Amino acid sequence: KDLNRVDYAAITAADKNILAAYLQQLAATPVSNLNRNEQQAYWINLYNALTVQVVRKAQSALPLYQLMRLIHQYLALMD
């Protein structure tokens, strides 16, 4: 099994819920309280989690504008 790849077809409803909860947790994180290394890890983790969610949603045949709106909503939470 390749641990560096996401098997999008195998993502379950429970996995989707875990990802949504993780993104909410990231959105609630006070990034300014983190040190430089922690901030870097935070942004990398947020990017990766959003990428998984966007690709998963794209496979659900959502229009591109909805995918972009989803990314915008999460990034707006970071302000």
Side-chain angles (χ1 to χ4, degrees), residues 23-68:
L23 286 167
Q24 287 178 344
Q25 178 185 357
L26 289 174
T29 300
V31 181
S32 60
N33 292 346
L34 303 176
N35 68 41
R36 186 175 178 89
N37 288 338
E38 292 169 331
Q39 286 182 11
Q40 182 179 14
Y42 171 87
W43 291 114
I44 291 168
N45 289 333
L46 177 61
Y47 174 85
N48 289 335
L50 285 174
T51 300
V52 169
Q53 187 169 55
V54 167
V55 171
R56 184 187 60 77
K57 294 257 185 199
Q59 290 182 331
S60 302
L62 282 178
L64 181 59
Y65 76 92
Q66 287 182 348
L67 294 174
M68 296 306 293

Side-chain angles (χ1 to χ4, degrees), residues 4-30:
N4 294 318
R5 297 185 185 262
V6 175
D7 185 357
Y8 291 97
I11 293 175
T12 66
D15 295 330
K16 293 174 189 177
N17 291 336
I18 291 167
L19 179 59
Y22 180 62
L23 286 167
Q24 287 178 344
Q25 178 185 357
L26 289 174
T29 300

Side-chain angles (χ1 to χ4, degrees), residues 61-79:
L62 282 178
L64 181 59
Y65 76 92
Q66 287 182 348
L67 294 174
M68 296 306 293
R69 184 170 39 191
L70 176 68
I71 291 173
H72 246 256
Q73 288 170 347
Y74 281 113
L75 292 178
L77 291 173
M78 301 302 122
D79 288 340

